[in-house]
Amino acid sequence: MSSTFSTSAARNIFFGGTVFFLLVFLALTYNTEQQLPQRDQRQQLAANPQIAAGKRLWENNNCIGCHTLLGEGAYFAPELGNVYKRRGPEFIKAWIKAQPTGTPGRRQMPDFHLSDQELDDLVAFLKYASEINTSNWPPNIEG
């Protein structure tokens, strides 16, 4: 077998495969970049100041340090990409206000001392996140 498979043939296979998969990668990247603006509804962030304010709260309080949002973030606390659909706005506000619960043996969310307006902004951002087309991800409603 070594007489039919030379070093130059192996090099050609390597470089040919590298170029092929690089082209596949670039094509998939281009396809993703074309689809994202239609799926993530980014125009709502600029058009609705309440959603933008909620996003700033999310970032400033480092919520992603414990929670995941559409799969990005830490896995210390629940996925919040679909929490608006799962629980609704009033539950979300009540839950954040009730933290920390003091339940022994459970992980506790800190009290961020958010005002009612800030809670409304954060809920608007979570509602926005729940409306992003994720192609049915996460696969179950509980995240």
Side-chain angles (χ1 to χ4, degrees):
M1 178 164 169
S2 64
S3 64
T4 60
F5 193 69
S6 66
T7 304
S8 64
R11 184 177 45 247
N12 291 340
I13 290 171
F14 171 76
F15 286 125
T18 300
V19 168
F20 172 76
F21 285 108
L22 178 65
L23 292 173
V24 169
F25 173 75
L26 291 173
L28 290 173
T29 301
Y30 177 78
N31 182 38
T32 300
E33 290 296 322
Q34 295 303 307
Q35 288 185 18
L36 280 179
Q38 294 132 10
R39 293 179 74 177
D40 66 9
Q41 304 170 9
R42 62 184 68 173
Q43 65 278 7
Q44 286 187 19
L45 285 175
N48 189 334
Q50 190 175 28
I51 295 172
K55 184 176 187 298
R56 276 191 301 279
L57 278 169
W58 172 267
E59 292 168 350
N60 292 340
N61 289 307
N62 192 28
C63 298
I64 206 159
C66 294
H67 293 277
T68 54
L69 185 66
L70 305 177
E72 291 292 323
Y75 291 96
F76 184 74
E79 160 71 35
L80 296 181
N82 60 6
V83 71
Y84 188 87
K85 291 177 183 175
R86 288 186 313 205
R87 304 288 187 236
E90 296 309 315
F91 177 88
I92 295 168
K93 289 187 241 181
W95 181 260
I96 293 171
K97 283 182 181 180
Q99 298 305 312
T101 61
T103 306
R106 292 210 49 185
R107 295 177 270 191
Q108 301 294 306
M109 186 169 132
D111 185 358
F112 289 106
H113 306 287
L114 300 177
S115 68
D116 288 337
Q117 180 60 48
E118 289 173 325
L119 286 171
D120 290 339
D121 295 344
L122 190 56
V123 166
F125 172 67
L126 292 173
K127 180 179 186 288
Y128 158 79
S130 73
E131 294 169 347
I132 293 174
N133 178 3
T134 61
S135 297
N136 297 322
W137 192 94
N140 61 45
I141 191 66
E142 289 299 322

